[in-house]
Amino acid sequence: MSSPSTPVGDLAFVVRTMARTAVDNEKAFGDLDAVAGDGDFGYSLARGFEIVLADWDDLASDSPAEFLKKVALVISKRVGGTSGPLWGTAFLRASGAVKDRPELDAADAVAMLRAAAEGIKARGKSDLGDKTLLDALIPMADSLEQRLAEGGPGADAAELARLAAETARTAADATTSMQARRGRQSYTGERSIGSPDPGAVAVAVMAERVAAAWDARD
């Protein structure tokens, strides 16, 4: 299965967009987390990704894997609460999925998402249906993999970005009716039902920002 190659610049665009989204949505993500959690999700995520943006020039690399590894280390060290280890692990596992790859294609994107999800599963002892960011991340990977299997080389990068965003949003919204089984929200039992998972929403909002800005990327 082949698809258009993606230089490191596109990967950097995605990560930078994710970072800016986390910073811009600090209050929104925090307010959402406060419904059934401790409310620090937005703050923790924003502080970590602020460092990513501040240290951006030091993260530059011609190697996708090395770039992702550097991002992982920043997030692991600077994001507080449970978010740091989980998001840091996600980036680190994504790095391992593209080791020795000088350029990336759409199949690599799926591999990185899969690896990130597996890392989060192991670190957070969670899985699909536990009302975590996995409930947006895994469906997003599934939809991209299916589209590539159907479209092969004809799969356009902008189309894939839109598909990822749409799938992540639908999946994140679907967590509203779930009861949290992992993380601080799980301590509230049934009170966690009725609002979407903050991590899943963050994944969706990030994917939407990437899709909206894809054609205008540097």
Side-chain angles (χ1 to χ4, degrees):
M1 176 174 61
S2 62
S3 47
S5 63
T6 304
V8 179
D10 283 355
L11 175 62
F13 158 76
V14 171
V15 174
R16 193 177 182 92
T17 301
M18 290 173 65
R20 287 172 171 164
T21 303
V23 173
D24 292 347
N25 287 272
E26 176 182 346
K27 186 179 186 304
F29 293 161
D31 289 348
L32 187 58
D33 186 39
V35 175
D38 54 15
D40 71 345
F41 174 67
Y43 176 86
S44 297
L45 205 63
R47 296 294 79 77
F49 276 112
E50 273 183 346
I51 303 300
V52 170
L53 293 173
D55 294 352
W56 190 254
D57 290 343
D58 295 331
L59 301 177
S61 175
D62 291 332
S63 163
E66 184 63 23
F67 169 68
L68 290 171
K69 183 178 180 180
K70 289 180 179 180
V71 173
L73 292 175
V74 170
I75 292 176
S76 296
K77 291 178 179 178
R78 303 307 291 265
V79 179
T82 59
S83 296
L86 292 177
W87 287 74
T89 296
F91 276 96
L92 190 61
R93 290 293 190 93
S95 170
V98 293
K99 185 178 180 180
D100 300 325
R101 293 278 290 162
E103 291 189 341
L104 306 180
D105 60 19
D108 289 317
V110 173
M112 287 188 289
L113 290 172
R114 293 287 189 210
E118 289 303 314
I120 292 170
K121 284 182 182 181
R123 192 65 184 262
K125 296 180 173 56
S126 55
D127 207 336
L128 192 67
D130 286 337
K131 195 167 186 172
T132 70
L133 73 164
L134 290 173
D135 289 299
L137 194 62
I138 293 175
M140 186 164 62
D142 288 344
S143 67
L144 291 176
E145 186 171 54
Q146 181 178 350
R147 176 65 185 88
L148 289 175
E150 294 171 350
D156 175 71
E159 176 197 347
L160 293 175
R162 289 192 297 270
L163 175 62
E166 292 166 1
T167 304
R169 170 55 62 185
T170 299
D173 289 346
T175 64
T176 299
S177 61
M178 296 179 181
Q179 180 173 327
R181 301 184 185 281
R182 290 292 183 273
R184 291 188 181 276
Q185 290 201 55
S186 65
Y187 302 159
T188 65
E190 293 184 356
R191 192 159 68 85
S192 64
I193 300 173
S195 61
D197 176 70
V201 170
V203 170
V205 176
M206 288 174 177
E208 288 169 342
R209 283 279 290 269
V210 168
W214 185 264
D215 289 335
R217 68 193 186 284
D218 295 330

